[in-house]
Amino acid sequence: MSNATERESPDSRVHHALLEARGALEQDPRAALTAARRAVRIPRASRTLQGLAWRELGHALKALERHDEAIRAYSRSRSLLRAAGELVEAARTEIGWTDALMYLDRYREARRVGRRALRTFLDQGDARRAGRVLMNLGNLEYRRDRPLEAVALYRQAIEHLPDDSMDPAIADYNLGNILVQTAELESAERRYRRAAGRARLRPVI
């Protein structure tokens, strides 16, 4: 370790490790995991940064499909962030936690955690993140083979999501997939075309 690194504050060291983890997550989740592990091991960092570090560790573990470990990391992150009074950040952690639970088919727990995050975002007036949680909850119901519940959640998500993001297009596309399965082909085609218009995607029917 260099003298310059030794002189850095714990918060600064965690911050740099977090940037490294986030930058590597999509292309090299193993490198992200290494950086996130380094971040959570740095002593005397603020509770908020510790919570963010544990969340990043959860993201890296989830990307590597180590979902049980990811859930434990997300749980630690949420506890630290709530203790620091960072309720929105804790709810952001719950988004990843919901996904990890869903991939393990722990649907009841996933729904509970997701709904808790949704309440926080709605209370804080954060429509974008509320819409993303609703979309994730729609994905969960879709995996449970409950298309009507999924459709209702995707429609709620679209009401909350801003038009300047890709998220409404994804929700419309997911809706189209369900409507194809329920043989509502005209409605499905409208959803696909709407998704294509929002995201310049090629309609599939």
Side-chain angles (χ1 to χ4, degrees):
M1 184 179 294
S2 69
N3 290 335
T5 301
E6 290 177 347
R7 287 195 298 270
E8 284 186 312
S9 69
D11 281 5
S12 178
R13 292 168 60 198
V14 172
H15 178 71
H16 289 153
L18 285 176
L19 290 177
E20 183 180 338
R22 289 167 184 163
L25 184 60
E26 288 191 15
Q27 299 297 323
D28 190 352
R30 291 189 183 279
L33 179 62
T34 298
R37 279 180 169 159
R38 188 168 71 251
V40 301
R41 290 171 179 160
I42 294 170
R44 298 185 301 279
S46 70
R47 193 169 283 171
T48 295
L49 278 171
Q50 289 176 28
L52 296 178
W54 279 97
R55 182 170 74 203
E56 209 61 38
L57 180 62
H59 290 341
L61 290 164
K62 181 161 66 76
L64 292 166
E65 299 185 358
R66 294 164 60 173
H67 297 119
D68 281 314
E69 294 172 84
I71 286 166
R72 290 193 290 273
Y74 287 134
S75 178
R76 181 76 177 272
S77 169
R78 179 183 179 274
S79 295
L80 287 163
L81 290 168
R82 287 189 67 85
E86 300 282 0
L87 301 184
V88 171
E89 292 298 336
R92 291 183 64 192
T93 291
E94 288 171 332
I95 296 174
W97 192 353
T98 300
D99 281 346
L101 288 165
M102 180 181 71
Y103 291 131
L104 291 174
D105 297 335
R106 291 163 60 176
Y107 296 127
R108 183 173 296 181
E109 293 173 78
R111 189 174 185 275
R112 174 176 54 80
V113 173
R115 287 287 181 186
R116 189 168 59 202
L118 177 62
R119 285 195 298 272
T120 298
F121 292 136
L122 290 174
D123 288 346
Q124 297 294 322
D126 192 335
R128 181 189 296 265
R129 291 197 176 107
R132 287 178 176 170
V133 174
L134 285 163
M135 193 160 64
N136 287 355
L137 290 170
N139 295 340
L140 189 154
E141 298 298 345
Y142 181 66
R143 284 174 64 98
R144 295 179 70 189
D145 197 25
R146 297 176 54 166
L148 294 180
E149 290 82 355
V151 165
L153 287 161
Y154 287 142
R155 285 177 171 153
Q156 289 179 58
I158 290 168
E159 291 176 4
H160 286 81
L161 292 166
D163 288 331
D164 63 352
S165 74
M166 278 288 294
D167 294 319
I170 295 169
D172 268 324
Y173 191 85
N174 290 348
L175 265 174
N177 290 341
I178 294 173
L179 293 168
V180 167
Q181 292 182 8
T182 57
E184 299 175 67
L185 298 183
E186 289 186 7
S187 295
E189 183 173 4
R190 285 196 295 272
R191 288 293 175 178
Y192 284 135
R193 292 190 183 282
R194 184 177 297 178
R198 282 174 161 155
R200 296 182 180 179
L201 298 173
R202 182 178 176 182
V204 300
I205 64 170

